[in-house]
Amino acid sequence: MKLTTHRVSAPLHTPFVTALRTATHVESLLVEVSDGEHSGWGEAPQVWKVTGDSLAGSQACIEGPITAALDGLGPDDLTEALRRVQSAAVGNFGAKDAVDVALHDLAARRLGQTLHGFLGSTTDVVRTDVTLSVGDADALADAGKARVADGFDVLKIKVGTDAAGDIERVRRVRDAIGPGPRLRLDANQGWTRRDAVTVIRAIEDCDIELVEQPVAAADLEGMAWVTDRVNTPILADESVYGVRDLVAVIRHGAADLVNVKLAKCGGLATARTLLELAREHGLGAIVGCMMESHVGVGAAAALVSAYPTTAVNDLDAAWWLREAPVTGGIRYDGSLIHLPSAPGLGVTGLTV
């Protein structure tokens, strides 16, 4: 198998603002794994503020230890290839995710199957929410109305930059969009535990579906403290990368749900384990994404199709792109993501 990396920078149609960063482009490393006849694709996004992964680091990991680990192995032994990828280096979850997905994609293509079909799905449509970036109350209210007009009925508001102002912003969005669409919040670790409880209690009459990562990722005791004191379900995101992290969240009673992301956990193999573990222990789950293109989001959507979650998933990242950096793949229709009927991820090449 031959591994090739491609750096891409794809502009967004609107800046994406969170408590952690402002993004104007998707900066990713696309990985192509070829057996000489078929190519599988994967994606390693650059996420300085969450995973610490960079394009240069992911590229070095893929072209160095991961390529060396796969040396001499043919494309037929997917299980062994995935094991070697995970053990090739410490950390580097984005690089592992990209190669893990590319190997799955290649295996599906060699069988003439879609990736979601290869994972066991018979469903080719999944739903996503859409994010409203951090902004003032007027801007958020206008964005909320625009996104509902675009066909989205689950909106995620980025909060966490100003606890006092967050209350007004959430109320303004709810007033603007009416009672029908669902609202969820994502603080991206931006609150203290006391601010989290104060804000969440103050807006629970706004019918908030869930609040994501209200406190610092390492503060499981703090998140458990919040979970115990509010009625709104709490979703762990940055607190959970792999199985050990999810076990810690379960033991602390720190959250009601977990957000599984391929770029945090290292690929489809680990993601499936996390979803199964959450279900076994009574936790809800969604599948999310970083700021990724149609490759990374397509893989996450395929996972959701085969492993249904307990709430609408957070897979809008590629919707923010002005145009896809690849040909083929998923297609958005409002809140619906249509999975391809072509083999694998349906990606046939680069456009940039």
Side-chain angles (χ1 to χ4, degrees):
M1 294 183 291
K2 179 182 178 182
L3 278 69
T4 307
T5 58
H6 310 271
R7 291 197 187 195
V8 298
S9 178
L12 308 182
H13 56 69
T14 306
F16 187 81
V17 184
T18 76
L20 295 175
R21 63 171 181 150
T22 297
T24 59
H25 289 70
V26 164
E27 306 284 352
S28 276
L29 186 72
L30 299 185
V31 179
E32 184 180 1
V33 178
S34 175
D35 65 356
E37 181 179 359
H38 305 92
S39 288
W41 292 83
E43 180 170 5
Q46 180 161 271
V47 197
W48 288 110
K49 291 289 189 176
V50 181
T51 65
D53 288 339
S54 67
L55 300 189
S58 293
Q59 188 170 21
C61 183
I62 290 166
E63 295 178 353
I66 290 180
T67 294
L70 294 175
D71 185 42
L73 188 67
D76 293 323
D77 196 344
L78 177 61
T79 300
E80 175 62 15
L82 296 175
R83 186 196 67 77
R84 292 189 186 187
V85 168
Q86 294 301 322
S87 63
V90 173
N92 288 278
F93 298 111
K96 292 175 181 178
D97 167 31
V99 180
D100 171 292
V101 168
L103 290 168
H104 278 91
D105 188 25
L106 177 60
R109 290 172 191 259
R110 285 167 58 84
L111 294 174
Q113 295 181 309
T114 62
L115 179 58
H116 56 283
F118 180 76
L119 295 175
S121 170
T122 58
T123 301
D124 59 4
V125 177
V126 301
R127 291 179 64 207
T128 181
D129 66 4
V130 69
T131 297
L132 308 182
S133 294
V134 168
D136 63 31
D138 289 337
L140 280 172
D142 290 342
K145 290 187 289 186
R147 297 297 80 80
V148 171
D150 287 332
F152 293 95
D153 58 0
V154 182
L155 309 184
K156 182 167 83 169
I157 306 176
K158 290 288 189 180
V159 292
T161 55
D162 169 25
D166 286 335
I167 297 172
E168 179 188 0
R169 285 186 279 271
V170 172
R171 289 193 174 280
R172 287 289 301 278
V173 172
R174 175 52 81 193
D175 290 343
I177 65 174
R182 276 182 265 173
L183 278 183
R184 51 178 62 165
L185 310 183
D186 185 2
N188 285 118
Q189 312 177 64
W191 292 325
T192 66
R193 64 177 71 181
R194 293 188 181 278
D195 282 345
V197 171
T198 298
V199 173
I200 295 169
R201 283 179 175 174
I203 47 83
E204 285 190 323
D205 62 334
C206 293
D207 190 20
I208 303 302
E209 179 191 21
L210 59 85
V211 176
E212 185 172 357
Q213 200 63 48
V215 299
D219 188 12
L220 295 187
E221 291 183 0
M223 192 152 66
W225 193 87
V226 174
T227 299
D228 286 342
R229 286 163 174 77
V230 299
N231 295 319
T232 303
I234 300 300
L235 171 69
D237 179 8
E238 290 94 339
S239 292
V240 177
Y241 280 65
V243 172
R244 183 178 300 176
D245 299 326
L246 181 53
V247 169
V249 166
I250 293 169
R251 287 178 173 168
H252 280 82
D256 303 290
L257 308 95
V258 60
N259 189 348
V260 176
K261 295 180 179 177
L262 301 182
K264 281 193 308 177
C265 70
L268 291 165
T270 304
R272 284 179 284 178
T273 300
L274 290 172
L275 292 174
E276 291 166 356
L277 181 62
R279 183 176 63 249
E280 289 172 3
H281 288 270
L283 264 69
I286 68 169
V287 171
C289 59
M290 304 299 184
M291 286 309 295
E292 300 173 59
S293 77
H294 296 65
V295 176
V297 176
L303 173 67
V304 168
S305 176
Y307 291 79
T309 51
T310 58
V312 172
N313 297 280
D314 184 25
L315 300 175
D316 63 324
W319 176 84
W320 290 78
L321 290 171
R322 287 185 189 171
E323 59 184 33
V326 293
T327 55
I330 59 169
R331 176 176 61 84
Y332 286 89
D333 179 14
S335 65
L336 301 180
I337 298 176
H338 294 269
L339 299 171
S341 57
L345 287 168
V347 172
T348 56
L350 298 170
T351 62
V352 294

